[in-house]
Amino acid sequence: MSLTATTSSPRIAHLQRETSESSIDLTLNLDGTGVSDIQTSVPFYDHLLTAFAKHSLTDLTVRARGDIEIDVHHTVEDIGIVLGQAIRQALGDKSGISRYGDALVPLDEALVQAVVDISGRPYLVHRGEPAGFEFHLIGGHFTGSMVRHVFEAITFNAGLTVHITVQGGRDPHHIAEAEFKAFARAFRQAKAFDPLVSGIPSTKGAL
Ligand SMILES: [Mn+2]
């Protein structure tokens, strides 16, 4: 059994994306310590991505500008797309990883479960946000509906199967933050190298 394939190349990605709606520069290291430097021009999103980096032990640098004078939507979604693409690229062939992860994370009254499968098959099941959550402007600028939209963007572009279930919660800030923390913790497990795994953890031989 050889483990060399699992650590042969650094799991790092640097992507730039420029459109008429946003300009994004993102660097990610899946084997980091959770250090982040995030300036998206959307303050609450900076908060969420900082939490993701910290709790997934992913080093993450993001510089983004966008047409936030219209709405934060384009900038927030586009960063989700680039983050997903960077995750997929950095994961490489997925040799030696655990593949699955799950977490149940509270933030005061909010409680969120996240389950991640680094499957290569994009699928998001997202449920349980309380009625009206999608219309709330968190911090006065971040629309609640964008939380699911970001997970759609990450999941579809990274090739992950993700189930996120909000089990309880009242405060929109708590709920959104707990969703990102739960996803981060589950992803941390899934991307981690498992010393008992040799090669790609799939009966198909590919993920
Ligand atoms: Mn959209």
Side-chain angles (χ1 to χ4, degrees), residues 61-128:
T61 300
V62 183
R63 289 287 180 280
R65 286 178 287 105
D67 55 359
I68 59 169
E69 70 283 359
I70 296 173
D71 185 331
V72 304
H73 190 118
H74 298 142
T75 303
V76 170
E77 177 176 4
D78 292 353
I79 292 168
I81 290 169
V82 175
L83 177 57
Q85 290 171 340
I87 288 171
R88 180 192 281 270
Q89 184 178 315
L91 281 167
D93 74 356
K94 304 167 184 132
S95 282
I97 62 169
S98 292
R99 178 176 166 179
Y100 298 100
D102 64 273
L104 187 60
V105 171
L107 201 173
D108 294 352
E109 90 295 345
L111 182 64
V112 177
Q113 180 195 51
V115 183
V116 170
D117 175 10
I118 299 177
S119 61
R121 296 188 311 277
Y123 206 101
L124 176 68
V125 177
H126 181 268
R127 56 196 158 192

Short mmCIF file of all heavy atoms in Angstrom, two decimals, residues 61-128:
data_model
loop_
_atom_site.label_atom_id
_atom_site.label_comp_id
_atom_site.label_asym_id
_atom_site.label_seq_id
_atom_site.Cartn_x
_atom_site.Cartn_y
_atom_site.Cartn_z
N THR A 61 -8.27 33.19 0.46
CA THR A 61 -8.14 34.62 0.18
C THR A 61 -9.10 34.97 -0.95
O THR A 61 -9.11 34.31 -1.99
CB THR A 61 -6.70 34.96 -0.26
OG1 THR A 61 -5.80 34.60 0.80
CG2 THR A 61 -6.55 36.46 -0.52
N VAL A 62 -9.91 35.99 -0.73
CA VAL A 62 -10.86 36.43 -1.75
C VAL A 62 -10.80 37.94 -1.88
O VAL A 62 -10.86 38.67 -0.88
CB VAL A 62 -12.32 36.03 -1.40
CG1 VAL A 62 -13.26 36.45 -2.52
CG2 VAL A 62 -12.45 34.54 -1.13
N ARG A 63 -10.64 38.39 -3.13
CA ARG A 63 -10.78 39.81 -3.45
C ARG A 63 -11.85 39.90 -4.53
O ARG A 63 -11.71 39.28 -5.59
CB ARG A 63 -9.47 40.38 -4.00
CG ARG A 63 -8.37 40.52 -2.97
CD ARG A 63 -8.63 41.69 -2.02
NE ARG A 63 -7.56 41.82 -1.03
CZ ARG A 63 -7.46 41.06 0.07
NH1 ARG A 63 -8.36 40.12 0.32
NH2 ARG A 63 -6.47 41.23 0.91
N ALA A 64 -12.90 40.64 -4.26
CA ALA A 64 -13.96 40.71 -5.25
C ALA A 64 -14.58 42.10 -5.29
O ALA A 64 -14.67 42.80 -4.28
CB ALA A 64 -15.04 39.67 -4.94
N ARG A 65 -14.96 42.48 -6.49
CA ARG A 65 -15.75 43.68 -6.71
C ARG A 65 -16.92 43.28 -7.60
O ARG A 65 -16.81 42.36 -8.41
CB ARG A 65 -14.92 44.77 -7.40
CG ARG A 65 -13.90 45.45 -6.51
CD ARG A 65 -13.08 46.48 -7.26
NE ARG A 65 -12.13 45.84 -8.16
CZ ARG A 65 -12.26 45.77 -9.49
NH1 ARG A 65 -13.32 46.30 -10.08
NH2 ARG A 65 -11.37 45.16 -10.22
N GLY A 66 -18.01 44.00 -7.46
CA GLY A 66 -19.15 43.67 -8.31
C GLY A 66 -20.18 44.78 -8.28
O GLY A 66 -19.99 45.82 -7.62
N ASP A 67 -21.26 44.52 -9.00
CA ASP A 67 -22.30 45.55 -9.15
C ASP A 67 -23.26 45.54 -7.96
O ASP A 67 -24.47 45.38 -8.13
CB ASP A 67 -23.04 45.36 -10.48
CG ASP A 67 -23.63 43.95 -10.64
OD1 ASP A 67 -23.45 43.13 -9.72
OD2 ASP A 67 -24.26 43.70 -11.67
N ILE A 68 -22.68 45.73 -6.77
CA ILE A 68 -23.52 45.66 -5.56
C ILE A 68 -24.44 46.88 -5.43
O ILE A 68 -25.31 46.88 -4.58
CB ILE A 68 -22.67 45.49 -4.28
CG1 ILE A 68 -21.69 46.65 -4.11
CG2 ILE A 68 -21.94 44.17 -4.28
CD1 ILE A 68 -21.03 46.65 -2.74
N GLU A 69 -24.21 47.88 -6.30
CA GLU A 69 -25.16 49.00 -6.29
C GLU A 69 -26.52 48.56 -6.84
O GLU A 69 -27.55 49.16 -6.55
CB GLU A 69 -24.61 50.21 -7.07
CG GLU A 69 -24.54 50.04 -8.58
CD GLU A 69 -23.37 49.17 -9.05
OE1 GLU A 69 -22.60 48.69 -8.20
OE2 GLU A 69 -23.25 48.96 -10.28
N ILE A 70 -26.51 47.46 -7.63
CA ILE A 70 -27.77 46.88 -8.11
C ILE A 70 -28.35 45.98 -7.02
O ILE A 70 -29.50 46.11 -6.62
CB ILE A 70 -27.54 46.05 -9.39
CG1 ILE A 70 -27.06 46.97 -10.52
CG2 ILE A 70 -28.79 45.28 -9.79
CD1 ILE A 70 -26.63 46.21 -11.78
N ASP A 71 -27.48 45.07 -6.53
CA ASP A 71 -27.91 44.03 -5.61
C ASP A 71 -26.64 43.24 -5.31
O ASP A 71 -25.75 43.14 -6.17
CB ASP A 71 -28.95 43.14 -6.33
CG ASP A 71 -29.58 42.08 -5.45
OD1 ASP A 71 -28.93 41.62 -4.49
OD2 ASP A 71 -30.72 41.70 -5.73
N VAL A 72 -26.53 42.64 -4.14
CA VAL A 72 -25.35 41.82 -3.87
C VAL A 72 -25.39 40.49 -4.62
O VAL A 72 -24.41 39.74 -4.63
CB VAL A 72 -25.17 41.54 -2.35
CG1 VAL A 72 -25.10 42.84 -1.56
CG2 VAL A 72 -26.26 40.63 -1.80
N HIS A 73 -26.51 40.20 -5.27
CA HIS A 73 -26.75 38.87 -5.84
C HIS A 73 -25.62 38.38 -6.76
O HIS A 73 -25.07 37.29 -6.55
CB HIS A 73 -28.08 38.89 -6.61
CG HIS A 73 -28.56 37.54 -7.04
ND1 HIS A 73 -29.75 36.99 -6.59
CD2 HIS A 73 -28.02 36.62 -7.86
CE1 HIS A 73 -29.90 35.79 -7.13
NE2 HIS A 73 -28.88 35.54 -7.91
N HIS A 74 -25.25 39.18 -7.77
CA HIS A 74 -24.26 38.72 -8.74
C HIS A 74 -22.92 38.43 -8.06
O HIS A 74 -22.29 37.40 -8.31
CB HIS A 74 -24.04 39.78 -9.83
CG HIS A 74 -25.28 40.07 -10.64
ND1 HIS A 74 -25.60 41.34 -11.07
CD2 HIS A 74 -26.28 39.27 -11.07
CE1 HIS A 74 -26.73 41.29 -11.75
NE2 HIS A 74 -27.17 40.06 -11.76
N THR A 75 -22.50 39.36 -7.22
CA THR A 75 -21.19 39.22 -6.58
C THR A 75 -21.17 38.00 -5.67
O THR A 75 -20.22 37.20 -5.68
CB THR A 75 -20.86 40.49 -5.78
OG1 THR A 75 -20.92 41.61 -6.67
CG2 THR A 75 -19.50 40.41 -5.14
N VAL A 76 -22.22 37.82 -4.89
CA VAL A 76 -22.28 36.70 -3.95
C VAL A 76 -22.33 35.37 -4.70
O VAL A 76 -21.58 34.44 -4.39
CB VAL A 76 -23.51 36.86 -3.02
CG1 VAL A 76 -23.74 35.60 -2.20
CG2 VAL A 76 -23.32 38.07 -2.10
N GLU A 77 -23.19 35.29 -5.70
CA GLU A 77 -23.31 34.03 -6.46
C GLU A 77 -22.02 33.71 -7.20
O GLU A 77 -21.56 32.56 -7.20
CB GLU A 77 -24.46 34.15 -7.46
CG GLU A 77 -24.59 32.91 -8.33
CD GLU A 77 -25.79 32.96 -9.28
OE1 GLU A 77 -26.48 34.00 -9.30
OE2 GLU A 77 -26.02 31.96 -9.98
N ASP A 78 -21.43 34.72 -7.82
CA ASP A 78 -20.23 34.48 -8.63
C ASP A 78 -19.06 34.00 -7.77
O ASP A 78 -18.26 33.16 -8.20
CB ASP A 78 -19.85 35.74 -9.41
CG ASP A 78 -20.88 36.08 -10.49
OD1 ASP A 78 -21.80 35.26 -10.72
OD2 ASP A 78 -20.78 37.17 -11.09
N ILE A 79 -18.95 34.52 -6.56
CA ILE A 79 -17.90 34.03 -5.65
C ILE A 79 -18.18 32.58 -5.27
O ILE A 79 -17.26 31.76 -5.19
CB ILE A 79 -17.81 34.93 -4.39
CG1 ILE A 79 -17.28 36.32 -4.79
CG2 ILE A 79 -16.91 34.29 -3.33
CD1 ILE A 79 -17.43 37.36 -3.70
N GLY A 80 -19.44 32.24 -5.09
CA GLY A 80 -19.80 30.84 -4.83
C GLY A 80 -19.39 29.93 -5.98
O GLY A 80 -18.87 28.83 -5.77
N ILE A 81 -19.60 30.40 -7.20
CA ILE A 81 -19.20 29.64 -8.39
C ILE A 81 -17.68 29.42 -8.40
O ILE A 81 -17.19 28.30 -8.58
CB ILE A 81 -19.63 30.37 -9.68
CG1 ILE A 81 -21.16 30.32 -9.82
CG2 ILE A 81 -18.95 29.78 -10.92
CD1 ILE A 81 -21.72 31.24 -10.90
N VAL A 82 -16.94 30.49 -8.17
CA VAL A 82 -15.47 30.39 -8.20
C VAL A 82 -14.96 29.54 -7.03
O VAL A 82 -14.02 28.74 -7.21
CB VAL A 82 -14.83 31.80 -8.21
CG1 VAL A 82 -13.32 31.70 -8.12
CG2 VAL A 82 -15.24 32.56 -9.47
N LEU A 83 -15.56 29.69 -5.88
CA LEU A 83 -15.17 28.86 -4.73
C LEU A 83 -15.39 27.38 -5.05
O LEU A 83 -14.53 26.53 -4.77
CB LEU A 83 -15.94 29.28 -3.48
CG LEU A 83 -15.69 28.48 -2.21
CD1 LEU A 83 -14.22 28.47 -1.82
CD2 LEU A 83 -16.54 29.04 -1.06
N GLY A 84 -16.53 27.07 -5.65
CA GLY A 84 -16.79 25.68 -6.04
C GLY A 84 -15.79 25.18 -7.06
O GLY A 84 -15.27 24.06 -6.94
N GLN A 85 -15.48 25.99 -8.05
CA GLN A 85 -14.51 25.59 -9.08
C GLN A 85 -13.13 25.38 -8.45
O GLN A 85 -12.41 24.43 -8.82
CB GLN A 85 -14.43 26.66 -10.17
CG GLN A 85 -15.68 26.74 -11.04
CD GLN A 85 -15.67 27.94 -11.98
OE1 GLN A 85 -14.95 28.91 -11.76
NE2 GLN A 85 -16.49 27.87 -13.02
N ALA A 86 -12.78 26.24 -7.50
CA ALA A 86 -11.47 26.12 -6.85
C ALA A 86 -11.40 24.84 -6.01
O ALA A 86 -10.38 24.16 -5.97
CB ALA A 86 -11.19 27.36 -5.99
N ILE A 87 -12.49 24.53 -5.32
CA ILE A 87 -12.54 23.31 -4.52
C ILE A 87 -12.35 22.09 -5.43
O ILE A 87 -11.55 21.19 -5.15
CB ILE A 87 -13.87 23.22 -3.73
CG1 ILE A 87 -13.88 24.23 -2.59
CG2 ILE A 87 -14.09 21.80 -3.19
CD1 ILE A 87 -15.23 24.38 -1.89
N ARG A 88 -13.07 22.07 -6.54
CA ARG A 88 -12.97 20.93 -7.46
C ARG A 88 -11.53 20.78 -7.97
O ARG A 88 -10.98 19.68 -7.99
CB ARG A 88 -13.91 21.10 -8.65
CG ARG A 88 -13.84 19.94 -9.62
CD ARG A 88 -14.54 20.24 -10.94
NE ARG A 88 -15.98 20.11 -10.89
CZ ARG A 88 -16.64 18.97 -11.16
NH1 ARG A 88 -15.99 17.88 -11.48
NH2 ARG A 88 -17.95 18.94 -11.11
N GLN A 89 -10.94 21.90 -8.36
CA GLN A 89 -9.58 21.86 -8.90
C GLN A 89 -8.58 21.40 -7.84
O GLN A 89 -7.72 20.56 -8.10
CB GLN A 89 -9.21 23.25 -9.44
CG GLN A 89 -7.85 23.29 -10.13
CD GLN A 89 -7.54 24.67 -10.68
OE1 GLN A 89 -8.39 25.32 -11.31
NE2 GLN A 89 -6.34 25.14 -10.43
N ALA A 90 -8.72 21.95 -6.62
CA ALA A 90 -7.75 21.63 -5.57
C ALA A 90 -7.89 20.18 -5.10
O ALA A 90 -6.90 19.56 -4.69
CB ALA A 90 -7.93 22.59 -4.38
N LEU A 91 -9.08 19.63 -5.15
CA LEU A 91 -9.29 18.23 -4.73
C LEU A 91 -8.54 17.24 -5.62
O LEU A 91 -8.22 16.13 -5.18
CB LEU A 91 -10.78 17.89 -4.72
CG LEU A 91 -11.59 18.38 -3.52
CD1 LEU A 91 -13.09 18.25 -3.80
CD2 LEU A 91 -11.21 17.64 -2.24
N GLY A 92 -8.28 17.64 -6.85
CA GLY A 92 -7.53 16.76 -7.76
C GLY A 92 -8.29 15.47 -8.01
O GLY A 92 -9.51 15.48 -8.20
N ASP A 93 -7.59 14.33 -7.96
CA ASP A 93 -8.27 13.05 -8.26
C ASP A 93 -8.90 12.43 -7.02
O ASP A 93 -9.46 11.34 -7.09
CB ASP A 93 -7.31 12.07 -8.94
CG ASP A 93 -6.28 11.49 -7.97
OD1 ASP A 93 -6.25 11.89 -6.78
OD2 ASP A 93 -5.49 10.63 -8.39
N LYS A 94 -8.77 13.10 -5.88
CA LYS A 94 -9.45 12.70 -4.62
C LYS A 94 -8.87 11.43 -4.00
O LYS A 94 -9.52 10.79 -3.17
CB LYS A 94 -10.97 12.57 -4.84
CG LYS A 94 -11.59 13.85 -5.40
CD LYS A 94 -12.99 13.66 -5.91
CE LYS A 94 -13.50 14.93 -6.55
NZ LYS A 94 -14.11 14.73 -7.84
N SER A 95 -7.65 11.10 -4.37
CA SER A 95 -7.01 9.93 -3.77
C SER A 95 -6.83 10.12 -2.28
O SER A 95 -6.38 11.16 -1.83
CB SER A 95 -5.63 9.72 -4.39
OG SER A 95 -5.72 9.13 -5.64
N GLY A 96 -7.17 9.09 -1.53
CA GLY A 96 -6.84 9.03 -0.11
C GLY A 96 -7.71 9.85 0.82
O GLY A 96 -7.42 9.94 2.02
N ILE A 97 -8.78 10.42 0.30
CA ILE A 97 -9.62 11.25 1.18
C ILE A 97 -10.71 10.41 1.84
O ILE A 97 -11.08 9.33 1.38
CB ILE A 97 -10.28 12.42 0.41
CG1 ILE A 97 -11.22 11.92 -0.70
CG2 ILE A 97 -9.21 13.35 -0.15
CD1 ILE A 97 -12.09 13.03 -1.30
N SER A 98 -11.26 10.96 2.93
CA SER A 98 -12.36 10.29 3.63
C SER A 98 -13.61 10.22 2.77
O SER A 98 -14.39 9.30 2.87
CB SER A 98 -12.69 11.04 4.92
OG SER A 98 -11.64 10.91 5.83
N ARG A 99 -13.84 11.24 1.99
CA ARG A 99 -14.95 11.40 1.06
C ARG A 99 -16.24 11.88 1.74
O ARG A 99 -16.90 12.77 1.24
CB ARG A 99 -15.22 10.11 0.28
CG ARG A 99 -16.41 10.25 -0.65
CD ARG A 99 -16.65 9.02 -1.51
NE ARG A 99 -17.96 9.09 -2.12
CZ ARG A 99 -18.47 8.18 -2.93
NH1 ARG A 99 -17.75 7.11 -3.24
NH2 ARG A 99 -19.67 8.34 -3.43
N TYR A 100 -16.61 11.28 2.86
CA TYR A 100 -17.85 11.66 3.54
C TYR A 100 -17.56 12.48 4.80
O TYR A 100 -16.56 12.25 5.48
CB TYR A 100 -18.65 10.42 3.97
CG TYR A 100 -19.11 9.57 2.81
CD1 TYR A 100 -18.42 8.41 2.48
CD2 TYR A 100 -20.23 9.93 2.06
CE1 TYR A 100 -18.83 7.62 1.42
CE2 TYR A 100 -20.64 9.14 0.99
CZ TYR A 100 -19.94 7.99 0.67
OH TYR A 100 -20.34 7.21 -0.38
N GLY A 101 -18.48 13.38 5.12
CA GLY A 101 -18.38 14.12 6.37
C GLY A 101 -19.76 14.56 6.81
O GLY A 101 -20.65 14.74 5.97
N ASP A 102 -19.93 14.70 8.10
CA ASP A 102 -21.21 15.21 8.59
C ASP A 102 -20.98 15.99 9.88
O ASP A 102 -20.01 15.76 10.60
CB ASP A 102 -22.21 14.08 8.82
CG ASP A 102 -21.76 13.13 9.91
OD1 ASP A 102 -21.03 12.18 9.59
OD2 ASP A 102 -22.09 13.36 11.08
N ALA A 103 -21.88 16.93 10.14
CA ALA A 103 -21.72 17.78 11.32
C ALA A 103 -23.09 18.29 11.76
O ALA A 103 -23.99 18.48 10.94
CB ALA A 103 -20.81 18.96 11.00
N LEU A 104 -23.20 18.49 13.05
CA LEU A 104 -24.39 19.10 13.62
C LEU A 104 -23.89 20.27 14.46
O LEU A 104 -23.17 20.07 15.44
CB LEU A 104 -25.13 18.07 14.49
CG LEU A 104 -26.48 18.45 15.06
CD1 LEU A 104 -27.47 18.78 13.96
CD2 LEU A 104 -27.01 17.32 15.93
N VAL A 105 -24.22 21.49 14.05
CA VAL A 105 -23.60 22.67 14.64
C VAL A 105 -24.67 23.64 15.18
O VAL A 105 -25.57 24.03 14.43
CB VAL A 105 -22.72 23.39 13.59
CG1 VAL A 105 -22.25 24.74 14.11
CG2 VAL A 105 -21.51 22.52 13.22
N PRO A 106 -24.56 24.02 16.44
CA PRO A 106 -25.47 25.02 16.99
C PRO A 106 -24.87 26.41 16.92
O PRO A 106 -23.65 26.58 16.87
CB PRO A 106 -25.57 24.59 18.46
CG PRO A 106 -24.19 24.08 18.77
CD PRO A 106 -23.66 23.47 17.48
N LEU A 107 -25.72 27.40 16.88
CA LEU A 107 -25.30 28.76 17.18
C LEU A 107 -26.44 29.34 18.02
O LEU A 107 -27.48 29.69 17.47
CB LEU A 107 -25.06 29.59 15.92
CG LEU A 107 -24.16 30.83 16.10
CD1 LEU A 107 -23.84 31.49 14.78
CD2 LEU A 107 -24.73 31.85 17.07
N ASP A 108 -26.26 29.34 19.30
CA ASP A 108 -27.34 29.67 20.23
C ASP A 108 -28.59 28.85 19.91
O ASP A 108 -28.54 27.64 19.92
CB ASP A 108 -27.61 31.19 20.22
CG ASP A 108 -26.43 31.98 20.79
OD1 ASP A 108 -25.49 31.35 21.32
OD2 ASP A 108 -26.44 33.21 20.69
N GLU A 109 -29.67 29.52 19.52
CA GLU A 109 -30.93 28.78 19.30
C GLU A 109 -30.96 28.04 17.96
O GLU A 109 -31.82 27.17 17.74
CB GLU A 109 -32.13 29.73 19.41
CG GLU A 109 -32.57 30.40 18.11
CD GLU A 109 -31.54 31.36 17.52
OE1 GLU A 109 -30.58 31.76 18.21
OE2 GLU A 109 -31.70 31.73 16.33
N ALA A 110 -30.05 28.39 17.03
CA ALA A 110 -30.04 27.76 15.71
C ALA A 110 -29.29 26.43 15.77
O ALA A 110 -28.29 26.30 16.48
CB ALA A 110 -29.41 28.68 14.68
N LEU A 111 -29.77 25.46 15.00
CA LEU A 111 -29.12 24.15 14.94
C LEU A 111 -29.20 23.65 13.50
O LEU A 111 -30.29 23.57 12.92
CB LEU A 111 -29.84 23.17 15.87
CG LEU A 111 -29.24 21.76 15.95
CD1 LEU A 111 -27.83 21.79 16.55
CD2 LEU A 111 -30.14 20.84 16.78
N VAL A 112 -28.03 23.33 12.92
CA VAL A 112 -27.98 22.95 11.51
C VAL A 112 -27.17 21.68 11.34
O VAL A 112 -26.07 21.55 11.88
CB VAL A 112 -27.37 24.08 10.64
CG1 VAL A 112 -27.27 23.63 9.19
CG2 VAL A 112 -28.20 25.35 10.74
N GLN A 113 -27.72 20.75 10.55
CA GLN A 113 -26.99 19.54 10.18
C GLN A 113 -26.52 19.67 8.74
O GLN A 113 -27.28 20.13 7.87
CB GLN A 113 -27.91 18.32 10.29
CG GLN A 113 -27.21 17.02 9.92
CD GLN A 113 -28.20 15.89 9.67
OE1 GLN A 113 -29.14 16.03 8.91
NE2 GLN A 113 -27.99 14.78 10.35
N ALA A 114 -25.28 19.28 8.48
CA ALA A 114 -24.76 19.25 7.11
C ALA A 114 -24.10 17.90 6.87
O ALA A 114 -23.42 17.36 7.76
CB ALA A 114 -23.75 20.37 6.88
N VAL A 115 -24.33 17.36 5.69
CA VAL A 115 -23.71 16.11 5.27
C VAL A 115 -23.10 16.34 3.89
O VAL A 115 -23.76 16.87 3.00
CB VAL A 115 -24.74 14.96 5.21
CG1 VAL A 115 -24.06 13.65 4.83
CG2 VAL A 115 -25.48 14.83 6.54
N VAL A 116 -21.83 15.96 3.75
CA VAL A 116 -21.11 16.19 2.49
C VAL A 116 -20.57 14.87 1.96
O VAL A 116 -20.01 14.07 2.72
CB VAL A 116 -19.93 17.17 2.70
CG1 VAL A 116 -19.04 17.23 1.46
CG2 VAL A 116 -20.45 18.56 3.04
N ASP A 117 -20.75 14.65 0.67
CA ASP A 117 -20.12 13.54 -0.04
C ASP A 117 -19.36 14.15 -1.22
O ASP A 117 -19.96 14.80 -2.08
CB ASP A 117 -21.20 12.56 -0.54
CG ASP A 117 -20.61 11.44 -1.40
OD1 ASP A 117 -19.38 11.29 -1.46
OD2 ASP A 117 -21.43 10.70 -2.00
N ILE A 118 -18.05 13.97 -1.21
CA ILE A 118 -17.24 14.46 -2.34
C ILE A 118 -17.37 13.43 -3.45
O ILE A 118 -16.52 12.57 -3.65
CB ILE A 118 -15.78 14.71 -1.91
CG1 ILE A 118 -15.74 15.77 -0.80
CG2 ILE A 118 -14.93 15.15 -3.12
CD1 ILE A 118 -14.35 16.04 -0.24
N SER A 119 -18.50 13.50 -4.12
CA SER A 119 -18.98 12.42 -4.98
C SER A 119 -18.64 12.61 -6.45
O SER A 119 -18.70 11.66 -7.24
CB SER A 119 -20.50 12.32 -4.86
OG SER A 119 -21.08 13.56 -5.28
N GLY A 120 -18.36 13.86 -6.85
CA GLY A 120 -18.26 14.16 -8.26
C GLY A 120 -19.62 14.38 -8.91
O GLY A 120 -19.69 14.71 -10.09
N ARG A 121 -20.68 14.18 -8.14
CA ARG A 121 -22.04 14.37 -8.67
C ARG A 121 -22.70 15.52 -7.92
O ARG A 121 -23.01 15.41 -6.73
CB ARG A 121 -22.88 13.11 -8.48
CG ARG A 121 -22.39 11.89 -9.25
CD ARG A 121 -23.39 10.75 -9.14
NE ARG A 121 -23.80 10.53 -7.75
CZ ARG A 121 -23.12 9.80 -6.89
NH1 ARG A 121 -22.00 9.23 -7.25
NH2 ARG A 121 -23.55 9.66 -5.65
N PRO A 122 -22.93 16.63 -8.60
CA PRO A 122 -23.54 17.78 -7.92
C PRO A 122 -24.98 17.50 -7.51
O PRO A 122 -25.80 17.10 -8.34
CB PRO A 122 -23.52 18.88 -9.00
CG PRO A 122 -22.60 18.40 -10.05
CD PRO A 122 -22.62 16.90 -10.00
N TYR A 123 -25.25 17.68 -6.22
CA TYR A 123 -26.64 17.53 -5.75
C TYR A 123 -26.77 18.28 -4.43
O TYR A 123 -25.94 18.11 -3.54
CB TYR A 123 -26.98 16.05 -5.55
CG TYR A 123 -28.46 15.78 -5.69
CD1 TYR A 123 -28.99 15.25 -6.86
CD2 TYR A 123 -29.35 16.12 -4.67
CE1 TYR A 123 -30.34 15.03 -7.01
CE2 TYR A 123 -30.71 15.92 -4.81
CZ TYR A 123 -31.20 15.37 -5.99
OH TYR A 123 -32.54 15.16 -6.13
N LEU A 124 -27.78 19.11 -4.34
CA LEU A 124 -28.02 19.84 -3.09
C LEU A 124 -29.44 19.56 -2.61
O LEU A 124 -30.40 19.76 -3.35
CB LEU A 124 -27.86 21.35 -3.30
CG LEU A 124 -28.19 22.21 -2.06
CD1 LEU A 124 -27.15 22.00 -0.94
CD2 LEU A 124 -28.28 23.69 -2.42
N VAL A 125 -29.53 19.11 -1.37
CA VAL A 125 -30.83 19.05 -0.68
C VAL A 125 -30.73 20.04 0.47
O VAL A 125 -29.86 19.91 1.34
CB VAL A 125 -31.13 17.63 -0.15
CG1 VAL A 125 -32.45 17.62 0.62
CG2 VAL A 125 -31.17 16.64 -1.30
N HIS A 126 -31.57 21.07 0.45
CA HIS A 126 -31.47 22.17 1.40
C HIS A 126 -32.86 22.45 1.94
O HIS A 126 -33.77 22.76 1.17
CB HIS A 126 -30.91 23.40 0.67
CG HIS A 126 -30.74 24.60 1.54
ND1 HIS A 126 -31.72 25.56 1.68
CD2 HIS A 126 -29.70 25.01 2.32
CE1 HIS A 126 -31.28 26.51 2.51
NE2 HIS A 126 -30.07 26.20 2.91
N ARG A 127 -33.02 22.31 3.24
CA ARG A 127 -34.38 22.47 3.79
C ARG A 127 -34.33 22.97 5.22
O ARG A 127 -33.31 22.91 5.88
CB ARG A 127 -35.11 21.13 3.73
CG ARG A 127 -34.39 20.00 4.43
CD ARG A 127 -34.94 18.63 4.03
NE ARG A 127 -33.93 17.61 4.31
CZ ARG A 127 -33.97 16.36 3.87
NH1 ARG A 127 -34.96 15.96 3.12
NH2 ARG A 127 -33.02 15.52 4.17
N GLY A 128 -35.48 23.48 5.64
CA GLY A 128 -35.67 23.79 7.05
C GLY A 128 -35.54 25.25 7.44
O GLY A 128 -35.80 25.59 8.60
#
